[in-house]
Amino acid sequence: MNRNAAKPATPRAYETVLQGVEADLRSGNLKLGDQLPGERALAEKHGISRASVRDAIRILDVMGVVRTSTGSGPSSGAVIISRPAAGISTALRMHIASAQLSIEEIVQTRVLLEMWAAQSTDLAAAPERAADVLAEAEALLEEMESPGVERQQFHDLDARFHVLLASLAGNAVIEAMMESLRLAIRDYVADSVSSDESWSPVVAVLKEQHRGIFDAVTGGRGDQAAELLREHIEWFHREVR
C-alpha cells in the first residue's frame, strides 16, 4: 500500500446540507414556497454544527435558492424560491472583477444568446404572452425616448428591454442567463460613458437601433432582428471601450 497516496478530500460540513436540499428538491419533498427546517433540525439530521448549517443557508441565499428573513410564521426563516439569475450574476461579477472573465467575452456571449433568441422567436406560438411582452417592451422604448430620462435610468430600461425580447424565445435558461449578464455588467455599462456631452450622440444612436430591432421582432423577421442585435451590441461596446 502506498502510504503517500493522496487521500480523497473530505466534503466540507455545509456541503451535506446543500446536497440534502438538492435531493429534496429533485424528489419533490421540497418545492417553491416551502420553508426549510430550522438550524437545529438540519444540524441534527446531517450530524453537523449549526454554524455549518448557517454557512449552507447563506450560500443558498446567494445562489438565489432561498430567501431568508427573521421573525416567526410561514414567511420567516429560509424559504425556497427560484432566482437563478441572481446566483449566476454574482459569480460572473466576481470573476469579471478578478479578471478571469473579460468584458469582451461577456459581450460575445450576449451576442450569441440574443441572436439565438431572436432567430428562435415564434410570436404565433403563444400569441397572448407575446403581445404582453411586446407591449411592455414598447413601453420601455417610450420611456427611453422621453426627453428627461437620466443616463442610469436609460441603462436600466435598456437592459430590461433586451431581457424581455430574449424571453420571447420561450427558453427559461436563456432568459436567466440574459438577466445574469445584465446584472453582471451593470456597473461597467453605467461607468462606460463619463459625461453627458459624450453620452448625447451615443444615446441618439441607441434609440434608433432599439426601434429597428423592435420593428424587426414585431414583424416576425427573426434573422434581421438577430443581425441588428449583433450590430447594436458590438457598436456600443466599440464606442465605450
Side-chain angles (χ1 to χ4, degrees):
M1 179 181 294
N2 183 2
R3 294 182 180 180
N4 295 322
K7 296 181 179 179
T10 303
R12 284 170 284 195
Y14 68 79
E15 292 178 344
T16 62
V17 179
L18 302 182
Q19 293 165 359
V21 171
E22 179 185 3
D24 285 342
L25 286 168
R26 287 179 178 274
S27 67
N29 290 330
L30 280 175
K31 58 185 182 299
L32 293 183
D34 285 352
Q35 189 177 36
L36 284 184
E39 288 181 7
R40 178 178 297 176
L42 286 172
E44 292 176 354
K45 176 182 177 180
H46 296 290
I48 59 177
S49 69
R50 293 179 66 173
S52 295
V53 171
R54 284 192 290 272
D55 286 343
I57 292 174
R58 278 193 289 266
I59 291 169
L60 290 170
D61 195 340
V62 171
M63 291 170 63
V65 177
V66 303
R67 180 192 65 246
T68 57
S69 60
T70 57
S72 59
S75 62
S76 64
V79 177
I80 298 292
I81 62 171
S82 181
R83 293 187 302 121
I88 299 170
S89 66
T90 298
L92 287 174
R93 287 171 67 90
M94 291 298 103
H95 289 295
I96 291 171
S98 65
Q100 295 306 299
L101 296 178
S102 70
I103 294 297
E104 287 77 10
E105 291 167 331
I106 296 292
V107 170
Q108 291 169 1
T109 303
R110 268 196 67 187
V111 169
L112 289 172
L113 292 177
E114 295 198 45
M115 289 186 70
W116 180 91
Q119 292 168 332
S120 303
T121 293
D122 181 3
L123 300 180
E128 291 185 5
R129 179 181 179 275
D132 290 341
V133 170
L134 291 174
E136 187 176 351
E138 187 165 26
L140 293 175
L141 283 182
E142 292 173 355
E143 285 190 70
M144 282 188 276
E145 291 168 351
S146 62
V149 67
E150 296 181 353
R151 251 190 297 162
Q152 185 56 58
Q153 184 185 6
F154 183 93
H155 291 315
D156 291 340
L157 295 168
D158 182 353
R160 287 166 55 195
F161 173 76
H162 282 267
V163 174
L164 268 177
L165 292 188
S167 75
L168 288 169
N171 185 307
V173 176
I174 293 294
E175 189 174 350
M177 288 297 299
M178 280 294 302
E179 178 67 11
S180 68
L181 291 173
R182 176 183 79 85
L183 296 172
I185 62 173
R186 180 173 51 193
D187 293 342
Y188 160 76
V189 172
D191 297 340
S192 58
V193 182
S194 58
S195 69
D196 290 335
E197 183 180 0
S198 56
W199 171 243
S200 182
V202 170
V203 73
V205 175
L206 293 178
K207 290 176 182 179
E208 183 179 349
Q209 291 173 337
H210 285 154
R211 274 294 169 184
I213 294 165
F214 182 76
D215 289 345
V217 172
T218 55
R221 302 187 300 275
D223 288 340
Q224 182 187 7
E227 185 60 24
L228 290 173
L229 279 162
R230 182 190 64 78
E231 292 173 358
H232 165 67
I233 296 167
E234 292 180 350
W235 177 85
F236 180 75
H237 182 57
R238 284 196 305 270
E239 286 296 305
V240 303
R241 186 167 49 189

